[in-house]
Amino acid sequence: MAVTGAAGMIGRKLVARLVADGGLSDGVRELAIERLSLYDVVEPAPIEGWFGPVDRVATDLGPTGAAEAVVAGRPDVIFHLAAVVSGEAEADFDKGYRVNLDGTRDLLEAIRRAHLTEGYTPRLVFTSSIAVYGAPLPDRIPDAYPATPRTSYGTQKAIDELLLADYTRRGFVDGVGIRLPTICIRPGRPNLAASGFFSSILREPLAGQEAVLPVPEDVRHWFASPRSAVGFLLRAATIDSALIGPDPTLAMPGVSATVGEQIGALRRIAGDAAVALIRREPDPAIARIVAEWAPGLEARRARELGFTADASMEEIIRAHIDDELGGTLR
Amino acid sequence: MAVTGAAGMIGRKLVARLVADGGLSDGVRELAIERLSLYDVVEPAPIEGWFGPVDRVATDLGPTGAAEAVVAGRPDVIFHLAAVVSGEAEADFDKGYRVNLDGTRDLLEAIRRAHLTEGYTPRLVFTSSIAVYGAPLPDRIPDAYPATPRTSYGTQKAIDELLLADYTRRGFVDGVGIRLPTICIRPGRPNLAASGFFSSILREPLAGQEAVLPVPEDVRHWFASPRSAVGFLLRAATIDSALIGPDPTLAMPGVSATVGEQIGALRRIAGDAAVALIRREPDPAIARIVAEWAPGLEARRARELGFTADASMEEIIRAHIDDELGGTLR
């Protein structure tokens, strides 16, 4: 198995889960890990609990030959998570296209070359994003809805989905794409992403810290916990492609919540004192960006295919407390 | 003005019309032709009636530098028609991506470089196709409908649309894309395209020749005459981009007709003797391909923006008689 973007937040959790589970299994298909090949722009850290063959490689998929290296060991499953994030892809046009478009296309081409010479056809799990949707959007976006991205990042992800579908249709690769919701609660320090506050207004108060809320409480968005995101990836790795049909990218389920509902869930779990740590500092620029984001998805196909999301914002918060805070609040 | 694919059927008609009109005009915006720069894989023929500066260049937009050359003269309008057709893009995977994806992206990049250095922002008219739609399809596809192509050609066109939208959104180019219906009646000899019979069952009988019909009469599809297609291009070249909004590619209007309705129109114009020249030779392979094609579009946005299609299949046939047969049947 190979993972690009293995040093990222989701990548690390995915690898830890794969190792803890001893491989992939969905009750029907079982796949042991023979070798773990991890790629990221920084060298992925050693993996706790894994004593088998491993590659930990620092590469950004940009230069020629990087994709060849990922494919060289003929991994049976490739999780392709590596990407330049939304804000950076908007700020650095060339880098965004080089990594998010060319990097993915290079990987598909490297797979295709190995397919044409030796019939290699790995399962490729590709992480797309709800950034492929652009305003105007209904409250519940149906599965069959146009991808009209309003960012370069969303454009690159939408293009990758089209490539994945064509390479899969032609039989060069066994691709499955998943459109991830906004991940909440992202662990770690606050970052500068426009979406950062959706996590920090929960994460910081849970840790007794102040957080800034830049948008009104009626802003609605679509969320999944890191734990759910890893579950989506595992399901995507094992699902029978015959069940998926000609469009290999699935919109993932999640929790639709307003900021007010996020705060309500925080109050029920951590009390008024936690909520009092949220400082309102309206930022019209962020409010304008976020207003165009997906408020919610139907995700009917994915639910029917066994992709399972968190049940509620409370469950999302409890997953964070379990996975990041040792199971209890201080 | 520059035209890629200038030696193709639509390219030649476009150039002839530009020269006949003395430039572009939509009643509001007037644009004289200062120079005509024509590109195709074969050297475009000399232009009748044009005595101004001209470039006629044989290039396939594949090699590095070809797109630079198109942009070098800083044309105010670029019609980008060049493409590998559907059947060839399916048969030659590499060539399809090289010309239809990389060729378009190279052109956008060459424009962007000139934009960043000197503010050059031409109108780029890009011809997309209803091949971006994939089954299942409603009888009238609305403007907001997902592009889920089922061919490499359709995939490449859908990707080009996404690139055009992002480059336009960023202000690097003033792009307008048009999703062309199947062109009917294509002049010239029958070709091997799966769609060829839609034209040949009309064109050949109008010329007193036999034609083969490989599909049932209830097959429904979406058509525009070459004359309408040229009209779409001219409208796309002059339209105020402020009217278009964030999605610069528009689905073009057309005539929705079954094969039976095509034959009915032929009968009304050319009589039973012409219809008797159509020989039924069912071809399940072609029938299967064509069954997945778009039966019709709403094309509401385009109609509201002044893109005008043929009124009926009869009008499409009469346009062919006027433009290709000297105005009368033999």
Side-chain angles (χ1 to χ4, degrees):
Chain A
M1 285 175 208
V3 182
T4 75
M9 188 265 290
I10 297 290
R12 279 181 285 122
K13 288 180 183 290
L14 169 67
V15 171
R17 174 77 186 273
L18 285 170
V19 168
D21 291 357
L24 284 166
S25 164
D26 64 352
V28 182
R29 198 174 162 197
E30 305 271 341
L31 212 54
I33 309 172
E34 290 175 3
R35 180 179 199 92
L36 271 175
S37 300
L38 311 183
Y39 304 85
D40 210 309
V41 283
V42 296
E43 187 181 301
I47 310 155
E48 223 173 300
W50 174 250
F51 307 103
V54 68
D55 310 292
R56 297 183 288 111
V57 184
T59 174
D60 84 343
L61 288 186
T64 315
E68 289 291 347
V70 173
V71 168
R74 304 291 183 259
D76 43 9
V77 179
I78 302 173
F79 294 95
H80 178 39
L81 316 182
V84 165
V85 298
S86 182
E88 191 176 4
E90 201 63 20
D92 189 337
F93 188 83
D94 289 306
K95 186 177 180 185
Y97 275 92
R98 182 168 57 78
V99 174
N100 294 349
L101 172 48
D102 295 329
T104 299
R105 191 171 168 203
D106 285 352
L107 183 56
L108 288 166
E109 274 294 284
I111 293 168
R112 175 174 163 250
R113 279 191 295 274
H115 175 87
L116 294 175
T117 53
E118 34 182 291
Y120 173 61
T121 316
R123 167 63 48 92
L124 176 66
V125 177
F126 168 68
T127 47
S128 187
S129 161
I130 53 172
V132 299
Y133 299 115
L137 292 169
D139 255 15
R140 287 274 168 175
I141 303 169
D143 281 325
Y145 198 81
T148 56
R150 304 285 183 245
T151 61
S152 292
Y153 174 81
T155 301
Q156 292 144 13
K157 289 292 186 182
I159 291 173
D160 291 341
E161 289 185 3
L162 285 161
L163 292 172
L164 187 76
D166 199 38
Y167 279 69
T168 298
R169 182 183 65 81
R170 304 280 289 229
F172 303 142
V173 69
D174 178 15
V176 179
I178 58 176
R179 286 181 185 162
L180 288 179
T182 287
I183 301 301
C184 178
I185 301 172
R186 282 188 74 86
R189 302 297 310 149
N191 66 16
L192 293 174
S195 62
F197 71 88
F198 285 122
S199 282
S200 59
I201 58 167
L202 303 176
R203 183 187 60 231
E204 304 306 309
L206 287 170
Q209 308 287 323
E210 269 206 345
V212 171
L213 173 60
V215 306
E217 288 202 12
D218 64 352
V219 167
R220 179 176 287 283
H221 194 40
W222 189 238
F223 304 104
S225 65
R227 191 192 279 184
S228 286
V230 169
F232 298 156
L233 288 165
L234 298 177
R235 178 69 187 127
T238 54
I239 192 170
D240 179 355
S241 50
L243 299 175
I244 295 181
D247 295 314
T249 297
L250 299 158
M252 288 295 107
V255 172
S256 175
T258 63
V259 168
E261 288 164 3
Q262 286 190 289
I263 294 172
L266 177 67
R267 188 187 312 274
R268 286 191 287 283
I269 288 171
D272 289 339
V275 172
L277 290 165
I278 300 171
R279 208 173 66 235
R280 280 153 182 81
E281 274 184 26
D283 182 328
I286 291 183
R288 223 171 14 248
I289 294 171
V290 171
E292 299 220 324
W293 289 359
L297 275 66
E298 284 186 359
R300 198 172 297 175
R301 277 178 72 209
R303 288 184 213 271
E304 286 170 5
L305 291 170
F307 291 84
T308 313
D310 314 279
S312 64
M313 188 49 66
E314 276 97 326
E315 193 173 303
I316 285 179
I317 294 174
R318 288 194 203 282
H320 179 79
I321 294 171
D322 282 353
D323 294 347
E324 309 294 336
L325 305 177
T328 51
L329 289 176
R330 285 184 304 175
Chain B
M1 285 174 208
V3 181
T4 75
M9 186 265 290
I10 297 291
R12 279 180 285 121
K13 288 181 181 288
L14 169 67
V15 171
R17 173 77 187 274
L18 285 170
V19 168
D21 291 357
L24 285 165
S25 164
D26 64 352
V28 182
R29 198 173 163 197
E30 306 270 342
L31 212 55
I33 309 172
E34 290 175 3
R35 180 178 199 94
L36 271 176
S37 300
L38 311 183
Y39 304 86
D40 210 310
V41 283
V42 295
E43 187 181 302
I47 311 155
E48 221 173 299
W50 173 250
F51 308 102
V54 68
D55 311 291
R56 297 182 290 112
V57 184
T59 174
D60 84 343
L61 287 185
T64 315
E68 289 290 347
V70 173
V71 169
R74 303 291 184 259
D76 42 9
V77 178
I78 302 173
F79 295 93
H80 178 40
L81 316 182
V84 165
V85 298
S86 182
E88 191 175 6
E90 201 64 21
D92 189 337
F93 189 82
D94 288 306
K95 185 177 180 184
Y97 275 92
R98 183 168 57 79
V99 173
N100 293 349
L101 172 48
D102 295 328
T104 299
R105 191 171 169 204
D106 285 353
L107 183 56
L108 287 167
E109 274 293 286
I111 292 169
R112 175 174 163 250
R113 279 192 294 274
H115 175 86
L116 294 175
T117 52
E118 35 181 289
Y120 173 62
T121 317
R123 167 62 50 92
L124 176 66
V125 177
F126 168 68
T127 47
S128 186
S129 162
I130 54 173
V132 300
Y133 300 114
L137 292 169
D139 255 15
R140 286 276 168 173
I141 303 170
D143 282 323
Y145 199 80
T148 56
R150 304 283 182 246
T151 60
S152 293
Y153 175 81
T155 300
Q156 292 145 13
K157 290 292 187 183
I159 291 173
D160 291 340
E161 289 186 3
L162 285 162
L163 291 172
L164 187 77
D166 199 38
Y167 279 69
T168 298
R169 182 184 64 81
R170 304 279 289 230
F172 303 142
V173 67
D174 179 16
V176 179
I178 59 176
R179 285 180 187 164
L180 288 179
T182 288
I183 301 301
C184 177
I185 302 173
R186 283 188 72 87
R189 301 298 311 149
N191 64 17
L192 293 174
S195 63
F197 71 88
F198 286 122
S199 281
S200 59
I201 59 167
L202 304 177
R203 184 187 59 233
E204 305 307 310
L206 287 170
Q209 307 288 325
E210 269 206 346
V212 170
L213 172 60
V215 305
E217 288 203 12
D218 64 354
V219 166
R220 179 175 287 283
H221 195 41
W222 188 237
F223 304 104
S225 65
R227 191 192 279 183
S228 286
V230 169
F232 298 156
L233 289 164
L234 298 177
R235 177 68 187 127
T238 54
I239 193 171
D240 180 354
S241 52
L243 298 174
I244 295 182
D247 295 315
T249 297
L250 299 158
M252 289 294 106
V255 172
S256 175
T258 63
V259 168
E261 287 164 3
Q262 286 191 290
I263 294 172
L266 176 67
R267 189 186 311 274
R268 286 190 289 281
I269 289 171
D272 290 338
V275 171
L277 291 165
I278 301 172
R279 209 173 66 235
R280 280 155 182 79
E281 276 184 23
D283 183 327
I286 291 183
R288 221 169 16 248
I289 294 170
V290 170
E292 299 221 324
W293 290 359
L297 276 64
E298 285 186 357
R300 199 171 297 175
R301 278 178 73 209
R303 287 184 213 272
E304 286 171 2
L305 290 170
F307 290 84
T308 312
D310 313 280
S312 65
M313 189 49 67
E314 276 97 326
E315 193 173 303
I316 285 178
I317 295 173
R318 288 195 203 282
H320 179 79
I321 295 170
D322 282 354
D323 294 348
E324 309 294 335
L325 305 177
T328 51
L329 290 174
R330 287 183 304 176

